[in-house]
């Protein structure tokens, strides 16, 4: 009997380390799960980019790291998502740099009205040394800038009348993002800026709380704003890049190799998002025209651009003005 008990004791001592090792290996194999917030619906170009980013991270980490995409504002509007990323409550968010500039005012230099000659000019800026500098500038605010996404050009739309001149905007209540720059832009054109969360715009248009808003073709379409604001006036006042930002708190917990893996996956997702944007723009324009939206082009943009000079003077410090000159000099 004693021999049996002794054998059992020896066996248990031999098995215990193996069991503990098995637990450690199972724990080591448990994937790191990170969350990414986006306020846009399924199928939207930025969400397509988010999902490509998530796919690349999982593929390249052999499943060790998973990025779960929570779109459609599930984790809050843009402002609250940014705040949660800053404090590590969310790991990533895809966000317009417009509300992000409230956390890093230097970003205003990338989104000033009538700054870029066209889309090609913007991408030369963002994919070069200037763009890299601004991504790196996010660390002081508690973020890691990963990549820029496309959001096209923004135009005005409203429920009252077509816009052809600056005078046509006078007194109109125009929804803007929760951004001091965008409020200043609308004020400079004589309209009344009304900051509202994106999800509140439809009902505000429907109930005449606001007269109009400003955004790109896909947003005008997918938000169904064209149902309650049929006049879409193309002035292309701003090209405001999107950005995927990571929480510095999250990134600091990862190895240097995993940080680089995430950064490269983000960069490599950009071409997919940009192509999705171009395709979506064409479909959105065709859809809203077929639904009865009244589209007009603003031919004299010089009048609108001239009204922006006070905005450049008041929103940019000496450093910001230097960056604007560098951006305009990019060929």
């Amino acid at each position: 009997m004693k021999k049996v008990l002794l054998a059992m004791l020896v066996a248990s001592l031999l098995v215990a380390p193996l069991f503990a090792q098995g637990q450690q290996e199972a724990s080591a194999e448990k994937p790191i799960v990170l969350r990414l917030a986006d306020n846009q619906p399924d199928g939207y170009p930025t969400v397509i980019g988010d999902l490509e980013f998530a796919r690349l991270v999982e593929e390249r980490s052999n499943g060790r790291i998973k990025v779960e995409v929570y779109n459609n504002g599930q984790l809050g509007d843009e402002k609250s998502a940014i705040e949660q990323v800053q404090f590590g409550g969310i790991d990533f968010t895809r966000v317009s740099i417009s509300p992000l500039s409230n956390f890093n005012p230097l970003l205003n230099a990338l989104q000033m009205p009538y700054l870029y000659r066209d889309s090609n000019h913007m991408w030369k800026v963002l994919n070069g040394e200037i763009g890299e500098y601004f991504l790196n500038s996010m660390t002081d605010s508690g973020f890691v800038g990963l990549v820029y996404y496309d959001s096209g050009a923004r135009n005005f739309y409203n429920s009252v009348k077509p816009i052809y001149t600056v005078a046509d905007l006078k007194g109109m209540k125009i929804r803007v993002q929760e951004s001091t720059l965008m409020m200043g832009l609308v004020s400079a054109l004589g309209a009344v800026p009304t900051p509202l969360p994106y999800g509140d715009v439809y009902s505000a248009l429907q109930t005449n709380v606001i007269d109009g808003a400003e955004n790109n073709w896909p947003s005008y379409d997918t938000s169904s704003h064209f149902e309650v604001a049929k006049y879409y006036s193309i002035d292309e006042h701003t090209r405001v890049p999107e950005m995927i930002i990571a929480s510095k708190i999250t990134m600091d917990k990862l190895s240097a190799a995993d940080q680089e893996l995430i950064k490269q996956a983000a960069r490599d997702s950009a071409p997919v998002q940009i192509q999705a944007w171009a395709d979506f723009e064409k479909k959105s324009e065709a859809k809203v025209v077929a639904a009865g939206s009244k589209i007009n082009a603003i031919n004299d943009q010089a009048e609108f651009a001239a009204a922006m000079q006070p905005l450049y003077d008041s929103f940019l410090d000496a450093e910001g003005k230097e960056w604007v000159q560098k951006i305009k000099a990019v060929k």
Side-chain angles (χ1 to χ4, degrees):
M1 183 65 178
K2 289 181 178 179
K3 290 183 178 179
V4 173
L5 290 173
L6 181 61
M8 291 176 64
L9 177 60
V10 171
S12 68
L13 291 173
L14 291 171
V15 171
L18 293 174
F19 180 72
Q21 182 181 355
Q23 282 188 316
Q24 290 174 356
E25 288 176 354
S27 176
E29 291 171 1
K30 185 177 181 181
I32 300 169
V33 179
L34 306 173
R35 297 191 300 166
L36 188 158
D38 196 306
N39 69 336
Q40 297 290 1
D42 292 347
Y44 195 82
T46 58
V47 177
I48 291 172
D50 298 338
L51 293 171
E52 176 67 3
F53 166 57
R55 185 189 70 79
L56 291 172
V57 169
E58 182 169 0
E59 178 184 273
R60 294 174 182 181
S61 69
N62 295 316
R64 288 187 305 104
I65 307 173
K66 295 181 182 292
V67 177
E68 295 180 343
V69 177
Y70 292 84
N71 63 303
N72 217 23
Q74 294 178 71
L75 301 182
D77 61 23
E78 285 186 311
K79 183 174 182 291
S80 64
I82 294 168
E83 291 170 346
Q84 291 179 77
V85 168
Q86 189 177 42
F87 295 107
I90 298 174
D91 303 296
F92 309 99
T93 186
R94 188 288 313 158
V95 67
S96 166
I97 69 168
S98 187
L100 196 55
S101 66
N102 290 326
F103 298 79
N104 180 5
L106 188 62
L107 290 175
N108 281 329
L110 289 180
Q111 61 171 339
M112 295 302 291
Y114 307 100
L115 174 63
Y116 302 105
R117 295 185 296 275
D118 51 32
S119 178
N120 287 336
H121 178 211
M122 183 187 76
W123 285 114
K124 285 182 180 178
V125 171
L126 298 181
N127 290 332
E129 293 180 1
I130 294 174
E132 187 67 21
Y133 178 89
F134 280 88
L135 286 176
N136 293 335
S137 76
M138 299 305 301
T139 55
D140 290 341
S141 303
F143 309 109
V144 177
L146 297 181
V147 69
Y148 297 102
Y149 277 177
D150 201 0
S151 67
R154 300 176 75 94
N155 304 294
F156 288 107
Y157 55 89
N158 73 92
S159 60
V160 182
K161 61 183 178 181
I163 304 300
Y164 289 100
T165 67
V166 171
D168 290 330
L169 277 162
K170 187 173 182 179
M172 276 195 181
K173 292 173 289 184
I174 302 294
R175 177 267 176 178
V176 293
Q177 293 165 299
E178 294 167 287
S179 157
T180 51
L181 175 63
M182 297 307 292
M183 292 177 68
L185 183 157
V186 168
S187 292
L189 294 174
V192 180
T194 308
L196 286 174
Y198 184 68
D200 295 345
V201 178
Y202 187 97
S203 61
L205 285 165
Q206 192 175 37
T207 57
N208 298 318
V209 170
I210 57 175
D211 299 307
E214 53 82 45
N215 218 316
N216 50 56
W217 286 106
S219 292
Y220 178 58
D221 161 22
T222 60
S223 62
S224 297
H225 292 174
F226 67 91
E227 296 176 353
V228 286
K230 70 177 182 178
Y231 298 104
Y232 192 89
S233 302
I234 303 171
D235 75 310
E236 297 186 344
H237 48 269
T238 54
R239 293 181 181 274
V240 181
E242 308 278 339
M243 192 186 288
I244 291 184
I245 55 172
S247 170
K248 190 173 185 299
I249 293 171
T250 295
M251 293 291 276
D252 285 347
K253 293 177 182 177
L254 301 174
S255 68
D258 283 346
Q259 290 183 41
E260 183 53 36
L261 183 153
I262 285 171
K263 290 177 181 178
Q264 190 60 51
R267 289 191 287 266
D268 291 344
S269 72
V272 171
Q273 191 275 335
I274 292 168
Q275 185 59 55
W277 185 270
D279 295 341
F280 209 123
E281 270 194 331
K282 293 176 183 176
K283 292 178 182 177
S284 291
E285 182 176 2
K287 176 182 172 181
V288 299
V289 168
S293 289
K294 307 297 182 183
I295 313 300
N296 73 280
I298 295 174
N299 297 319
D300 184 13
Q301 291 187 339
E303 179 196 12
F304 287 77
M308 295 299 109
Q309 190 55 53
L311 198 64
Y312 274 75
D313 294 336
S314 63
F315 274 83
L316 297 175
D317 58 14
E319 183 182 11
K321 290 174 182 175
E322 287 180 11
W323 280 112
V324 163
Q325 292 309 310
K326 290 178 182 178
I327 290 167
K328 288 184 175 180
V330 171
K331 302 299 183 184

